[in-house]
Amino acid sequence: MAEPAEVVAMPNAEAAAPVQPQPYLPASLEDFVEQSIGSIRAVQVVQAVLISVLSFFDAQQTLISVFTDAQPSWHCTNATICNHNSNICSLPKSAWAWDDERPHHTIISEWGLECSSAFITGLPATSYFAGCVLAGFALATLGDSSLGRKNLLFLSSLVMCIAALCSAFSTDVGMYSAFRFLCGAGRVSITTSTMVLLTERVGRRRRSQMGQLLFGFFTAGMLSLPAIAYAGRGSSWRMLYIWTSSPGLLYTIIAYFFVCESPRWLFLQGHILDAMAVLKRIGSANLIGSSSLPNMQCWHENQVQSKTNPFSSLKILFRKRWAVQRLLAVMVLGFSIGLTYFALLLGVRGLNFNVYLITELNALLTIPSLLIFLFWIQKCNRKSSMLALSTSTGAFCIVCAIVARRSKGVAIGMELASIFFVSLACNMFLTYMVELFPTQVRSSTTSLARQAVMVGSIIVPVLTSAGRENKLISYGVSGCLMAISGFLVLCLPETRGKALSNTMEEQELEDSTSLPIK
């Protein structure tokens, strides 16, 4: 009996030997990153908030000209030759006066620009958007090459805040326009760099919701500006620049030291250890170990792009016909969205309504649009939603242009409806264009698409000036363009639920084989 017992005990002892756990070896870079940061953690939310706050200051500088460059109200001082329908440029200076006796209320009253041409009075706003366009094309590829997402973002914010602060000390409209140009040149990369960072540091299931932080803080900035302007309505326009730029400058300097770079960009640039450190900080540390380093090195050797040529991402992009066609469609759509969005925001004075109230209402309407988008984005298809939002916005703009002279109330209602739908369209556009291209060229393509938005906005000051007399010029033109360009999404692929690709080859494979995740 003893011998069989010993025979049985031998295999049991061998079976009880501990099994060594196998190290985690992901199949691809996307799989590795998704496993590391797929589950949302508090540190990821904090990181997202830190960079999204910069959009708060961006919104203030974008809309500040509504108050600083405004035409002040005036009254007659000589009733014999002056009435409320008179043209002040045909009256002697002694026959009228500004309602606010202080000459520094806006740049128009301080520098005597009330009778200047629309080109001169619109030059600061035009310079701002021109800076956005020119600097955007120059900086578009730096986020994918030498600077990276984080450095480009904070450099842009720093230049914007410094230029805005300097604007407060301008002595004439030429100097003021130059500083506005620099301010626009600085802020152009804030939205794109923030959006790319937000989406590349979270998993695919939380990507859309996390990206809405950008729009939330931009909305908060829009809401805060009319309140600050109203509170300081008795002060010089220069104080509005100081009150908005100083906090932004301080925050930019402090936040830089707490924000992490995109781990995807670090991997593709060959900074393997830095990328692993970021993933350990914001992701699941138990999934990341030294055993994964050989795989990371292998991916780097096969996929890394040139770090010496800042235009390497564009060379990669333009080798693919499908990518160029996709980019052109996105840029045309972006042009129409930029034209319509800023025409509605900056053209509020043409409605002959309280500028503080209408600007605040426009900003308030972006809140429900943001909340709706936040819960809707996970369930909606990008293509059909983009088409519906574009045509709806265009229709409301056209109706506003037609009824503007007949009914002020209806026109304001149509303007508010247009703001609501164009805000949804803008949110969808920014989300969609990030998902259309791989990490290898994502910052460049997003920047170029954003530049198309800025090209559309650069002609807005001219349209709004002409639209004060004829609403068909501003609201009608932008509405027709918005409705027509929306049909371009029909030539773009659906991206809902798909993983973010890292290289052009992965993107081609993803487009041809993968199905949306329900």
Side-chain angles (χ1 to χ4, degrees):
M1 296 294 294
E3 292 182 0
E6 291 179 1
V7 173
V8 173
M10 292 295 292
N12 285 344
E14 293 178 0
V19 178
Q20 296 295 327
Q22 295 297 317
Y24 171 68
L25 295 176
S28 66
L29 176 57
E30 175 60 29
D31 178 52
F32 180 76
V33 175
E34 185 69 26
Q35 289 290 334
S36 303
I37 59 178
S39 300
I40 196 70
R41 302 177 67 221
V43 65
Q44 289 171 280
V45 177
V46 172
Q47 285 286 311
V49 171
L50 284 175
I51 61 173
S52 298
V53 171
L54 297 176
S55 299
F56 178 91
F57 305 108
D58 177 23
Q60 291 181 335
Q61 296 307 318
T62 300
L63 300 178
I64 198 170
S65 62
V66 172
F67 303 101
T68 59
D69 303 4
Q71 175 92 11
S73 56
W74 60 278
H75 62 272
C76 294
T77 58
N78 187 343
T80 59
I81 60 174
C82 176
N83 59 65
H84 66 281
N85 291 322
S86 299
N87 183 349
I88 61 175
C89 296
S90 61
L91 297 173
K93 185 63 178 177
S94 59
W96 64 275
W98 300 117
D99 289 346
D100 192 327
E101 297 180 356
R102 288 161 295 189
H104 52 260
H105 185 60
T106 73
I107 67 168
I108 302 296
S109 56
E110 178 169 345
W111 293 328
L113 303 177
E114 62 274 6
C115 295
S116 299
S117 66
F119 174 79
I120 296 298
T121 56
L123 183 60
T126 301
S127 298
Y128 176 82
F129 291 115
C132 293
V133 172
L134 297 179
F137 284 118
L139 301 176
T141 62
L142 295 183
D144 283 327
S145 54
S146 56
L147 283 182
R149 281 72 157 127
K150 172 187 171 180
N151 290 333
L152 181 58
L153 171 63
F154 282 91
L155 176 62
S156 297
S157 181
L158 186 67
V159 172
M160 178 191 72
C161 292
I162 292 176
L165 185 61
C166 292
S167 299
F169 303 97
S170 301
T171 58
D172 54 51
V173 68
M175 179 184 294
Y176 177 61
S177 299
F179 283 129
R180 292 303 292 159
F181 178 88
L182 291 176
C183 188
R187 58 84 55 183
V188 67
S189 298
I190 292 179
T191 298
T192 53
S193 297
T194 300
M195 194 67 182
V196 171
L197 265 179
L198 286 173
T199 55
E200 289 186 349
R201 296 191 309 192
V202 294
R204 74 181 68 163
R205 296 190 180 277
R206 299 295 181 183
R207 188 172 67 209
S208 301
Q209 290 96 332
M210 196 64 73
Q212 303 318 300
L213 282 173
L214 164 67
F215 308 124
F217 279 99
F218 192 88
T219 299
M222 292 174 58
L223 283 169
S224 67
L225 184 62
I228 296 173
Y230 184 79
R233 62 190 182 280
S235 303
S236 168
W237 61 270
R238 301 173 187 273
M239 295 306 301
L240 188 57
Y241 276 107
I242 294 175
W243 291 336
T244 55
S245 61
S246 299
L249 180 60
L250 181 63
Y251 178 83
T252 299
I253 296 173
I254 295 175
Y256 176 81
F257 298 99
F258 298 94
V259 172
C260 299
E261 180 58 91
S262 164
R264 298 173 188 269
W265 179 82
L266 289 172
F267 274 127
L268 291 181
Q269 290 294 308
H271 305 302
I272 309 300
L273 295 179
D274 292 336
M276 300 284 279
V278 170
L279 289 178
K280 286 182 179 180
R281 181 177 174 183
I282 67 174
S284 301
N286 60 318
L287 294 176
I288 307 170
S290 58
S291 59
S292 299
L293 283 175
N295 278 28
M296 301 299 107
Q297 295 289 354
C298 179
W299 288 325
H300 166 57
E301 292 173 1
N302 292 331
Q303 299 176 358
V304 69
Q305 55 191 317
S306 173
K307 296 182 284 184
T308 59
N309 186 357
F311 299 102
S312 58
S313 58
L314 289 183
K315 291 182 178 180
I316 295 172
L317 176 71
F318 290 128
R319 291 193 190 109
K320 304 292 184 178
R321 182 177 178 182
W322 63 265
V324 175
Q325 293 175 340
R326 189 176 296 186
L327 179 61
L328 289 176
V330 169
M331 291 182 71
V332 173
L333 183 58
F335 174 85
S336 63
I337 291 176
L339 177 65
T340 305
Y341 186 73
F342 288 104
L344 291 169
L345 289 179
L346 302 182
V348 292
R349 284 191 171 274
L351 296 174
N352 298 319
F353 196 70
N354 186 296
V355 65
Y356 297 103
L357 181 58
I358 190 65
T359 304
E360 195 72 21
L361 288 174
N362 284 340
L364 284 171
L365 271 178
T366 61
I367 296 178
S369 70
L370 178 62
L371 294 176
I372 291 173
F373 187 76
L374 182 63
F375 294 102
W376 178 46
I377 186 64
Q378 284 292 92
K379 303 177 181 179
C380 69
N381 291 329
R382 282 28 171 178
K383 289 177 63 173
S384 58
S385 300
M386 195 73 243
L387 177 60
L389 293 172
S390 299
T391 52
S392 299
T393 301
F396 282 116
C397 285
I398 293 172
V399 173
C400 180
I402 294 174
V403 305
R405 289 188 175 182
R406 302 175 185 176
S407 174
K408 181 190 293 187
V410 175
I412 292 175
M414 292 297 100
E415 192 271 347
L416 293 175
S418 301
I419 280 289
F420 177 79
F421 280 98
V422 79
S423 297
L424 280 172
C426 188
N427 293 351
M428 178 62 71
F429 174 75
L430 291 173
T431 301
Y432 193 21
M433 69 180 181
V434 167
E435 297 174 346
L436 283 170
F437 298 94
T439 304
Q440 201 170 29
V441 297
R442 185 174 298 121
S443 182
S444 299
T445 54
T446 305
S447 296
L448 290 173
R450 176 69 174 171
Q451 286 319 102
V453 176
M454 292 296 100
V455 171
S457 66
I458 199 173
I459 64 175
V460 165
V462 178
L463 278 180
T464 53
S465 296
R468 292 173 184 173
E469 300 297 330
N470 187 352
K471 301 298 183 295
L472 285 174
I473 297 178
S474 56
Y475 292 102
V477 170
S478 59
C480 290
L481 184 61
M482 186 74 177
I484 295 172
S485 63
F487 288 93
L488 287 172
V489 299
L490 297 178
C491 65
L492 297 176
E494 180 57 55
T495 61
R496 175 194 167 197
K498 291 186 177 181
L500 289 178
S501 301
N502 292 294
T503 65
M504 300 295 281
E505 291 73 20
E506 287 182 17
Q507 186 71 56
E508 290 176 329
L509 182 63
E510 179 76 18
D511 291 341
S512 61
T513 60
S514 67
L515 295 175
I517 298 175
K518 303 297 184 182

